[in-house]
Each structure stands twice: as C-alpha cells, then as structure tokens.
Amino acid sequence: MSFKTDYGRVLGLGSAKEGAEHWWSARVTSVALIPLTIAFVWIVGPLFGADFATVEAALQNPVKAILVILFLLVTTRHLAEGNQVIIEDYVHSPSWRTFALLKNQLGVWALGLAAIFAVAKIAFGA
C-alpha cells in the first residue's frame, strides 16, 4: 500500500517533497564538519587560556578566520536541521510544532550570526 499520489510516484518524491534533500543536506554537513572540526580544534585549541592579544593575532590570519567562520556556518546549519528533525518527530501539536520550528530557526541562526560577527570583528581588528 502506497500513500504517494500518481504524480508523486512519477517524480519520485514523498508527500513532503523535500525529504531526500533534507537527508542529503544532513549527510553533506556531517561530512563537511569532519575536516572543519579538525581545523577548528587545531586553530582554537592552543588559544585556550591565552590573552586577547594572542587570540586576536591568531584570528587575524585570513585562512584561520575563514576556517573558523566556515566551521560556525556549517555547524549552525547542521544544528538547525538536526533540531528540526527532532521537533518534527516529537512535537505533535501543529501550533506548537510551528512555534518550535520558528524558535529553532531564529535561535540557532541568531547564535551562529553572533559567533560569526565576533570572529569577524576580531579578524578585522575593529
């Protein structure tokens, strides 16, 4: 028994029409996070306990700043998608689900943008 419409079977899409895209995005961000996490730990790890001048000097290197910002972007997207799956699976009320999904997107992206702004501010020495 199939719940797909004839049109959906022809296109190969499920009822939501974006499940495969979401699944692939989660896999791509997971794989991208492997080298980015290694680079992030390599860059930020030695800076624990350092003074601000040392952190500022390290992040003013464009390659290091770009790698840290890429790590933050990919991590933010991966976190938002993972939280979305959890909310869709476990919040059953449509109104609460919509509220939780909106709060998830706004909260995660605000956190990510704040982190990226902080790195950019340090990198540009402003």
Side-chain angles (χ1 to χ4, degrees):
M1 178 175 188
S2 175
F3 293 103
K4 289 184 179 180
T5 63
D6 293 336
Y7 184 67
R9 276 193 289 277
V10 169
L11 293 177
L13 300 172
S15 62
K17 312 220 180 353
E18 60 184 43
E21 178 184 343
H22 194 268
W23 185 86
W24 271 110
S25 178
R27 288 348 178 241
V28 168
T29 55
S30 295
V31 171
L33 278 173
I34 295 169
L36 287 173
T37 301
I38 293 168
F40 181 78
V41 169
W42 173 70
I43 294 166
V44 176
L47 299 177
F48 281 111
D51 60 342
F52 182 74
T54 306
V55 174
E56 187 176 30
L59 290 180
Q60 284 182 345
N61 179 338
V63 174
K64 290 181 180 181
I66 289 170
L67 284 172
V68 169
I69 289 174
L70 278 174
F71 171 79
L72 293 170
L73 281 171
V74 176
T75 300
T76 302
R77 179 168 174 124
H78 189 73
L79 174 63
E81 289 177 351
N83 286 346
Q84 179 181 342
V85 170
I86 292 169
I87 291 167
E88 289 170 347
D89 286 348
Y90 294 107
V91 179
H92 301 294
S93 167
S95 58
W96 279 108
R97 183 180 310 128
T98 302
F99 174 73
L101 288 170
L102 180 63
K103 188 176 175 182
N104 172 50
Q105 291 295 323
L106 293 175
V108 168
W109 286 108
L111 181 67
L113 288 174
I116 291 167
F117 176 76
V119 172
K121 189 170 180 175
I122 291 171
F124 293 125

